[in-house]
Amino acid sequence: MAEFTMELNDEQKEVRDWLHGFAAEVIRPAAAEWDEREETPWPIIQEAAKLGIYSLDFYAQQFFDPTGLGIPMATEEIFWGDAGIGLSIMGTGLAAVGVLANGTEEQIGTWIPQMYGDANDVKVAAFCSSEPDAGSDVAAMRTRAVYDEAKDEWVLNGTKTWATNGGIANVHVVVAVVDPDLGSKGHASFIVPPATPGLSQGQKFKKHGIRASHTAEVVLEDVRIPGHCLLGGKDKLDERLARARERARSGGERVKNAAMATFEASRPAVGAMAVGTARAAYEEALEYARTRTQFGRPIIDNQGVAFQLADMRTQIDAARLLVWRASWMASTGRKFESAEGSMSKLYASEVAKKVTAQAVQILGGNGFTREYPVERMHRDAAIYTIFEGTSEIQRLVIARTLSGMPIR
C-alpha cells in the first residue's frame, strides 16, 4: 500500500509537464474562442485524443496510480489551461467513475471504451443524476426504471437535467428509481447504449461560466434497455434492496445509493479542477502585479496587493493538500471517516471563487474585461461551489459524518 507523499515521482512529473505543455499550447490559446461560441470544442478533444490524453488508457493509468495522485495532478493541469475546455475533456470521467463505482468487470470492459471512442472518432459520455426537482435532494428523484421480466429489459421514463454532455453523449449513465418506497436507497444506475430509441436532448443551457462544456437536459421516454445494462447486475440489486428494506424496518445503518457512490469517488477530482482554475488566476494576478506600475512602482510593492497574493497562494496550496490527501485515501482504500472527500471539494471550490475574485480586483478595470482571462476564470469558478454537491451540502455531509448522523 502506497504511503502518503507530497513529492511526485519522476514519471508523475513527466506526465505533469507534458499535460502542462498541452494546456499552455493548445487549450489556453483556444479558451476565449470556445467560451464565446458556447460549443463543445471537438477539435481540442480530438487533439487530446491524438496525443493519448483523451483516452481510456490514459484515464486508467491515472486512476489506478497507487499513490492516488494521478487524477488530481492531471486534472489540475488541464483546468489550469481552461475550465470549460477542461470539463469537455474530463467530463466523460464522471460517467466512467459511475461505471467503475457500480459496475461489474464485464460492464467496465464493455462500456468505458465506448465512452471515449478513438483518435479518429472521439466520443463523450454523460452521467445523468440531477432532475428539475431533485438536485441536492436525491430522495426526490422521479425518473423510474421498471423491470420487464418477460423481455429481460428495463424501461426508463423521466427527465434529467444539468447533464454534462447530455444528449450528445455516445453512452449515458442514468440514475433512476427502482423502488420508490426506499427513497434514495431505492436507486440504481443504468447504461443507456448509443442510439437507444426514446432518449433525446432537451434544453441546452446557456451558462454563466464553463461555456465550452455542453450542459443539457436528457429526456427519457419509454427507453428500453437490456437487462445487462443495469450496473452491478440484477442479483446484486435485489440483495441491496432486500438489505435496505430490512434496515428500514429495523432502523439500522444506511445503505449507500448509486449516485452518492459516484459523487463520493469524484469529489476530490472536482477539488482538483478548482485548484487548477485558482492557480491559473493567481499566476495571472501575480504577473500583472509585478509588471503593472502605479505611482512610479509595481503594484506588488503595495502591501494591500502583496498580502492578497500571499493569502491566495497559501489557500491554493492548502486546497491542493486536502485534495491530495482525499485522493490518496480513496486510492489506498481508506474510509472517509471525517468526510475528507467532501472537505477537499468544499475548501478547494470556495478557494477558487475567492482567489478568482481577488485576481479580478488586482487587475482592476482590466480584470473586468474579456481582454484578460481572469474575468472568464472568475465566471468559471462559480460552478465549483454548486455542481456535484453544493458547498452547503458538503458542510452537511461533513457535519453529519462527524456527528455520526445518517446522510440522507
Side-chain angles (χ1 to χ4, degrees):
M1 186 174 288
E3 294 298 321
F4 179 69
T5 176
M6 293 184 290
E7 181 66 28
L8 298 178
N9 60 41
D10 290 341
E11 183 179 351
Q12 290 169 326
K13 289 177 182 177
E14 185 177 342
V15 172
R16 178 198 62 192
D17 294 345
W18 173 50
L19 292 172
H20 186 81
F22 177 79
E25 296 165 16
V26 179
I27 295 178
R28 278 273 174 104
E33 175 190 350
W34 290 100
D35 178 74
E36 292 287 346
R37 291 175 64 169
E38 298 192 54
E39 297 174 358
T40 301
W42 291 108
I44 309 299
I45 300 174
Q46 187 165 31
E47 185 65 22
K50 288 179 179 177
L51 294 174
I53 295 171
Y54 185 78
S55 70
L56 172 59
D57 288 345
F58 179 76
Y59 181 82
Q61 184 181 27
Q62 303 313 311
F63 187 86
F64 292 109
D65 180 339
T67 69
L69 302 185
I71 289 293
M73 177 269 296
T75 302
E76 179 180 335
E77 293 304 326
I78 294 294
F79 277 72
W80 173 90
D82 178 67
I85 294 177
L87 193 56
S88 289
I89 293 173
M90 308 282 296
T92 292
L94 182 59
V97 167
V99 177
L100 286 168
N102 301 295
T104 64
E105 289 187 9
E106 183 179 356
Q107 290 170 329
I108 291 168
T110 298
W111 296 111
I112 294 183
Q114 295 186 49
M115 294 180 176
Y116 288 90
D118 57 48
N120 296 317
D121 185 22
V122 294
K123 306 292 185 183
V124 294
F127 181 74
C128 307
S129 177
S130 293
E131 298 183 2
D133 295 319
S136 298
D137 183 9
V138 294
M141 190 177 293
R142 295 180 180 176
T143 296
R144 289 293 308 275
V146 177
Y147 185 56
D148 183 342
E149 189 171 359
K151 295 184 178 180
D152 185 26
E153 291 180 338
W154 289 90
V155 185
L156 276 61
N157 282 282
T159 299
K160 295 297 182 178
T161 193
W162 309 121
T164 299
N165 299 328
I168 66 170
N170 194 48
V171 176
H172 291 77
V173 178
V174 177
V175 182
V177 179
V178 294
D179 187 335
D181 293 336
L182 292 175
S184 62
K185 315 302 188 297
H187 297 174
S189 291
F190 299 86
I191 292 285
V192 180
T196 298
L199 183 147
S200 62
Q201 179 184 307
Q203 176 187 4
K204 178 187 174 183
F205 296 104
K206 296 179 71 67
K207 305 189 298 294
H208 176 66
I210 56 167
R211 302 198 302 192
S213 173
H214 176 97
T215 310
E217 290 181 332
V218 173
V219 180
L220 303 132
E221 296 179 308
D222 290 329
V223 173
R224 284 186 167 268
I225 56 175
H228 61 75
C229 287
L230 165 65
L231 289 179
K234 185 85 167 44
D235 290 344
K236 184 177 179 181
L237 172 65
D238 289 342
E239 290 175 8
R240 179 166 63 81
L241 294 178
R243 291 198 306 272
R245 294 184 190 108
E246 178 60 31
R247 285 169 176 165
R249 286 192 294 268
S250 64
E253 296 179 1
R254 64 189 178 93
V255 177
K256 197 175 296 180
N257 68 68
M260 285 297 291
T262 301
F263 291 139
E264 206 169 271
S266 65
R267 277 169 181 157
V270 177
M273 297 176 189
V275 171
T277 300
R279 189 183 114 213
Y282 158 75
E283 290 176 3
E284 290 287 340
L286 177 62
E287 181 61 23
Y288 187 88
R290 284 171 171 164
T291 57
R292 172 69 167 172
T293 59
Q294 289 287 278
F295 304 105
R297 62 180 183 176
I299 63 172
I300 198 171
D301 284 353
N302 297 311
Q303 192 177 82
V305 173
F307 280 15
Q308 282 193 77
L309 289 163
D311 287 344
M312 291 158 77
R313 176 58 186 269
T314 300
Q315 290 161 1
I316 291 167
D317 281 11
R320 182 184 297 109
L321 288 174
L322 283 172
V323 168
W324 281 18
R325 180 184 69 168
S327 300
W328 170 76
M329 290 178 68
S331 177
T332 54
R334 288 170 167 80
K335 291 184 178 180
F336 290 157
E337 299 287 355
S338 301
E340 288 85 353
S342 289
M343 284 183 184
S344 69
K345 196 270 186 184
L346 168 66
Y347 187 75
S349 60
E350 295 287 347
V351 164
K353 282 188 68 173
K354 183 176 180 180
V355 165
T356 55
Q358 287 176 302
V360 170
Q361 187 69 23
I362 289 170
L363 268 68
N366 287 327
F368 199 65
T369 71
R370 295 190 182 182
E371 299 300 314
Y372 288 79
V374 294
E375 177 271 342
R376 184 180 68 253
M377 295 168 184
H378 183 43
R379 286 189 286 109
D380 291 342
I383 193 60
Y384 298 130
T385 61
I386 298 172
F387 73 175
E388 294 198 50
T390 64
S391 287
E392 292 75 20
I393 288 296
Q394 304 309 322
R395 290 186 173 97
L396 179 65
V397 170
I398 294 165
R400 286 182 175 272
T401 301
L402 295 177
S403 68
M405 295 175 66
I407 302 170
R408 298 181 179 86

